[in-house]
Amino acid sequence: MEKAVEVKLNAIQMVCFSSYFLPGYVAHKDASVPQIWPRKGDPPTQAPSKRKKLVFFAGEMNSRVRKYLLQEWRNVTEIFVHQGRLKTPYSEALLGSKYCIHAKGFEVNTARIGDALYYGCVPVILADYYDLPYADILNWESFSLVVSTVDIPLLKKIVEEISFDQYLRLQSNVLKVQKHFQWHHFPVDFDAFYMAMYELWLRRSYVRLPLGAL
């Protein structure tokens, strides 16, 4: 897109990689959409009282953010940070955790936000300069924690200062927004397709046709 200036300035892109540092992305004009694995059926449920892990992350250490996360929390019981693949199912860890970390990898976007929401886990987002999906529609503070990467050493303190009642409100709102982060073969009201279309509608004033096309 950076090589097609006319298109870049006048078309609305719908992208997962909504980082301010990418030359092809124009913040506040282009629309951020979530990276989501297609899944069939309703999301599984797990009562908050049965979620024994406080904070969970597993993945490759392919960015400075993830390496910093591992360096700070690799030996702390309450914050489970695992390098590489788990030996047990990833879904079990998501279902058994109260908070699940989204940390920037090669790209600012990963499927971990969608994974966390699908399994009813409150996302903790460690990705600076990232336009969150549906940011003009959803109040992310009502169902997630957005933490600056410089505050990774304070992560345990930040989470533990959240009361159980506050956590219950966050988790309850996670269940309410799950429908917005699901794709279907045929669109269903308020699903990811309709959210994306609404994002486009909100940005309709950014599109300008060349005078010759009028």
Side-chain angles (χ1 to χ4, degrees):
M1 291 292 281
E2 62 270 21
K3 295 180 181 179
V5 177
E6 187 69 24
V7 177
K8 174 184 174 181
L9 294 180
N10 296 306
I12 299 171
Q13 294 185 92
M14 304 194 73
V15 297
C16 295
F17 51 87
S18 51
S19 169
Y20 292 178
F21 295 117
L22 292 175
Y25 176 73
V26 180
H28 311 299
K29 173 182 74 68
D30 296 331
S32 174
V33 293
Q35 184 174 334
I36 307 169
W37 297 113
R39 295 180 170 99
K40 294 181 179 180
D42 295 328
T45 59
Q46 182 77 288
S49 60
K50 294 185 178 180
R51 294 177 179 268
K52 302 304 181 183
K53 283 190 178 73
L54 181 61
V55 183
F56 164 73
F57 175 82
E60 297 300 327
M61 297 297 122
N62 52 12
S63 71
R64 285 183 294 177
V65 174
R66 294 186 180 185
K67 290 174 183 176
Y68 188 21
L69 184 67
L70 182 68
Q71 172 189 316
E72 290 292 323
W73 299 111
R74 73 167 76 212
N75 297 317
V76 178
T77 304
E78 294 89 346
I79 297 184
F80 182 86
V81 178
H82 181 82
Q83 181 175 0
R85 291 182 177 274
L86 295 171
K87 294 181 180 179
T88 55
Y90 184 54
S91 57
E92 287 183 8
L94 293 168
L95 272 173
S97 303
K98 290 181 171 66
Y99 298 91
C100 297
I101 293 176
H102 163 96
K104 178 185 180 299
F106 285 125
E107 301 281 358
V108 71
N109 57 291
T110 74
R112 281 176 171 77
I113 290 178
D115 290 344
L117 294 173
Y118 183 79
Y119 289 99
C121 189
V122 176
V124 178
I125 299 160
L126 301 172
D128 298 340
Y129 308 106
Y130 172 40
D131 273 343
L132 289 165
Y134 315 142
D136 294 332
I137 305 172
L138 299 179
N139 176 14
W140 280 82
E141 290 183 359
S142 70
F143 63 92
S144 71
L145 302 180
V146 181
V147 180
S148 173
T149 55
V150 299
D151 289 330
I152 285 176
L154 303 175
L155 192 56
K156 184 171 179 283
K157 180 176 183 291
I158 290 170
V159 173
E160 288 184 337
E161 285 181 349
I162 298 170
S163 69
F164 188 64
D165 285 344
Q166 289 174 311
Y167 162 71
L168 289 178
R169 283 195 292 273
L170 288 168
Q171 206 266 341
S172 175
N173 288 331
V174 163
L175 302 183
K176 291 176 183 176
V177 301
Q178 281 178 333
K179 61 188 175 185
H180 304 316
F181 293 82
Q182 294 177 22
W183 291 99
H184 301 89
H185 288 295
F186 297 96
V188 175
D189 287 353
F190 306 109
D191 72 355
F193 173 80
Y194 280 107
M195 292 291 283
M197 292 303 100
Y198 187 47
E199 281 277 19
L200 280 176
W201 184 81
L202 290 174
R203 287 164 170 72
R204 64 197 184 282
S205 62
Y206 286 107
V207 177
R208 298 190 304 274
L209 293 173
L211 290 175
L214 298 177

